[in-house]
Amino acid sequence: MDIDFLGVGWSFPVQLDEKQQIATAKYEAAVRQSIWAILSTARGERLMRPEFGCRIHDHVFAPNTSGTVGQIISDVRSALMEWEPRIDVLDVDLLPQSAQPNLLQISIHYQVRTTTNEFNLVYPFYLQ
């Protein structure tokens, strides 16, 4: 098993470590931070790569309906399949939120291909 394939890169968000150098993320932490970066980037936001990101940001002003939820789940799955080749997306779901109806907790269950380790990431997304 070659874990080096998972890579080492700048941490997200970019920050300094205890030595005042740019902090890095390694291996599975790098994958997790990559997923977060994909979901946090709206399509068209990056000038040199306008197709990068996730279309969930197109739904910020959409009503909290089952149709919106279904489209968000589809957008998350599509973006991760396109932009994160180190994982297999096992499931994408929204966790129920009764206290904050405009907060959607997007639960992503994924498997890192080279290690077969499974992880879950919950990404908060707000509808206005």
Side-chain angles (χ1 to χ4, degrees):
M1 171 179 8
D2 186 14
I3 195 165
D4 290 336
F5 171 73
L6 298 178
V8 177
W10 287 10
S11 66
F12 179 81
V14 177
Q15 56 192 347
L16 298 178
D17 63 14
E18 61 279 348
K19 296 177 185 177
Q20 298 304 305
Q21 297 177 345
I22 295 176
T24 58
K26 293 182 178 184
Y27 313 131
E28 287 157 340
V31 172
R32 182 179 193 83
Q33 290 182 8
S34 173
I35 292 169
W36 197 272
I38 292 165
L39 297 179
S40 297
T41 305
R43 290 264 178 134
E45 185 176 336
R46 289 197 177 174
L47 191 57
M48 300 301 283
R49 184 170 260 183
E51 67 280 359
F52 179 80
C54 185
R55 294 194 185 279
I56 60 173
H57 305 280
D58 296 348
H59 307 290
V60 168
F61 297 106
N64 190 353
T65 64
S66 60
T68 301
V69 166
Q71 189 60 54
I72 288 172
I73 289 171
S74 175
D75 290 343
V76 167
R77 184 180 297 277
S78 295
L80 295 178
M81 289 172 61
E82 181 176 359
W83 295 108
E84 187 44 82
R86 300 173 289 182
I87 66 168
D88 289 317
V89 178
L90 302 176
D91 192 29
V92 178
D93 200 8
L94 266 74
L95 304 175
Q97 286 289 320
S98 58
Q100 292 182 286
N102 290 341
L103 170 62
L104 302 179
Q105 298 278 10
I106 303 168
S107 174
I108 300 132
H109 185 204
Y110 64 96
Q111 182 178 44
V112 176
R113 289 181 177 173
T114 55
T115 64
T116 67
N117 292 335
E118 292 184 17
F119 297 92
N120 192 47
L121 180 141
V122 177
Y123 183 83
F125 182 71
Y126 291 90
L127 298 174
Q128 297 291 325

